[in-house]
């Protein structure tokens, strides 16, 4: 199987840690549209497995500080800063902050296609979350 | 970011997959391989996350799910739930456990470990059986 982090120097890899699948998918798709390779993780445990896997070349860790797991998102960010000095660590806590951080990355990134306003991402996340709440019985 | 286009609303002709797999390194590889093959791919770590994603209204043509999953239901229960509530979504199940195929005999199944080529063929064949949208 191919290693998705080995796609050439033109496609830096962002490791996204976000437990909410709707938020994670929107942020990940946004970053992919900008040209990044994106690895999606739902917990600190998953993200740690990726960080410790051999041969991974992660450029940026975009982590929800409140993500569950052992370590949690904040703990994972601390570990990455201490043990993976080559990785830029960005902590988020809300979809708005995650979208803004993704927008900043897109401004500086490969720009495979034109990035759109992060507020568009936030608005779409809110609509999808509202639809999910309506579809889920109380 | 002002003045930049917002292509998100543009419709896509790509088929949309939802990979459901709790082993992140396996999920990462099958998701990336199917993206490289031209599919739009979302990733769920559990059946609960998969159902939450579908409930949000984002379209899904095919769910490619492991059977052994954490949370409130396994892949077999997910397949049965989708058959009842979203019959338009095709499902492929996978597992490394012997005999798992018999758990849901009516659902396409690929045993682990599978090759990417085998998985892509089964995905294409299964999608070809899906009624066309609209």
């Amino acid at each position: 199987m191919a290693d998705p982090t080995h796609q050439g120097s033109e496609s830096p890899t962002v490791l996204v840690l976000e437990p909410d699948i709707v938020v994670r998918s929107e942020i990940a798709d946004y970053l992919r549209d900008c040209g990044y390779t994106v690895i999606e993780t739902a917990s600190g445990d998953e993200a740690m497995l990726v960080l410790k896997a051999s041969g991974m070349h992660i450029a940026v860790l975009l982590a929800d500080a409140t993500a569950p797991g052992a370590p949690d998102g904040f703990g994972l960010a601390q570990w990455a800063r201490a043990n993976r000095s080559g990785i830029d660590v960005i902590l988020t806590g809300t979809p708005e902050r995650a979208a803004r951080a993704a927008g900043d990355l897109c401004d500086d990134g490969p720009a495979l296609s034109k990035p759109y306003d992060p507020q568009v991402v936030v608005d779409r996340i809110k609509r999808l979350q509202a639809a999910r709440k309506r579809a889920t019985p109380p | 970011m002002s003045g930049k286009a917002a292509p998100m609303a543009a419709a896509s002709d790509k088929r949309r997959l939802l990979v459901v797999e709790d082993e992140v390194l396996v999920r990462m590889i099958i998701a990336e391989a199917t993206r490289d093959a031209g599919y739009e791919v979302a990733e769920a770590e559990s059946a609960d996350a998969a159902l939450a994603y579908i409930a949000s209204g984002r379209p899904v043509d095919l769910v490619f799910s492991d059977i052994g999953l954490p949370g409130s239901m396994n892949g077999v229960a997910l397949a049965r739930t989708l058959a009842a509530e979203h019959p338009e979504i095709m499902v492929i199940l996978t597992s490394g456990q012997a005999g798992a195929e018999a758990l849901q005999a009516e659902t396409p199944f690929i045993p682990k470990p599978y090759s990417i080529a085998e998985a892509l063929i089964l995905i294409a064949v299964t999608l070809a059986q899906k009624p066309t949208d609209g």
Side-chain angles (χ1 to χ4, degrees):
Chain A
M1 292 182 180
D3 178 349
T5 68
H6 285 169
Q7 295 191 342
S9 58
E10 298 303 311
S11 181
T13 298
V14 180
L15 174 58
V16 173
L17 167 56
E18 167 57 56
D20 186 316
I21 188 171
V22 167
V23 178
R24 184 174 72 240
S25 295
E26 288 298 322
I27 298 298
D29 286 349
Y30 181 72
L31 289 168
R32 288 189 186 99
D33 283 349
C34 296
Y36 289 98
T37 296
V38 180
I39 298 174
E40 300 182 38
T41 58
S43 67
D45 308 75
E46 284 194 350
M48 184 65 89
L49 270 175
V50 173
L51 287 174
K52 288 186 171 177
S54 61
M56 295 290 185
H57 298 281
I58 308 296
V60 179
L61 168 63
L62 183 66
D64 180 347
T66 65
D72 61 12
F74 187 73
L76 183 85
Q78 286 184 311
W79 184 91
R81 284 176 173 139
N83 296 281
R84 296 288 188 274
S85 58
I87 298 176
D88 290 329
V89 178
I90 304 171
L91 272 176
T92 67
T94 64
E96 289 82 359
R97 289 181 64 178
R100 276 204 305 272
D104 290 343
L105 285 172
C106 286
D107 275 342
D108 297 332
L112 189 67
S113 61
K114 50 187 176 296
Y116 31 90
D117 194 314
Q119 188 58 45
V120 173
V121 182
V122 173
D123 292 344
R124 185 170 164 85
I125 287 170
K126 287 179 177 175
R127 286 199 303 274
L128 292 168
Q129 288 180 320
R132 181 175 60 183
K133 283 178 183 169
R134 284 195 300 273
T136 305
Chain B
M1 301 296 291
S2 61
K4 292 175 178 176
M8 185 173 280
S12 170
D13 293 333
K14 288 183 177 180
R15 292 289 203 163
R16 295 146 300 202
L17 309 188
L18 176 56
V19 173
V20 190
E21 170 63 63
D22 61 320
E23 293 185 46
V24 62
L25 299 178
V26 175
R27 187 174 74 231
M28 177 181 80
I29 289 170
I30 186 65
E32 199 63 21
T34 46
R35 281 189 194 99
D36 287 347
Y39 297 105
E40 286 190 358
V41 183
E43 304 177 37
E45 70 281 8
S46 67
D48 302 286
L51 291 174
Y53 181 86
I54 292 167
S56 76
R58 287 185 64 155
V60 175
D61 292 305
L62 184 144
V63 168
F64 185 96
S65 178
D66 191 18
I67 288 179
L69 294 169
S72 68
M73 67 175 73
N74 65 14
V76 172
L78 174 63
R80 289 175 179 156
T81 300
L82 291 175
E85 298 179 6
H86 296 279
E88 75 281 5
I89 298 177
M90 311 299 283
V91 179
I92 294 172
L93 291 174
T94 183
S95 175
Q97 292 194 328
E101 183 174 10
L103 292 172
Q104 183 73 350
E106 64 269 33
T107 303
F109 178 85
I110 184 169
K112 287 182 178 178
Y114 51 78
S115 72
I116 292 298
E118 290 170 331
L120 289 175
I121 289 170
L122 183 57
I123 289 168
V125 167
T126 305
L127 281 172
Q129 298 167 0
K130 185 179 190 295
T132 54
D133 300 326

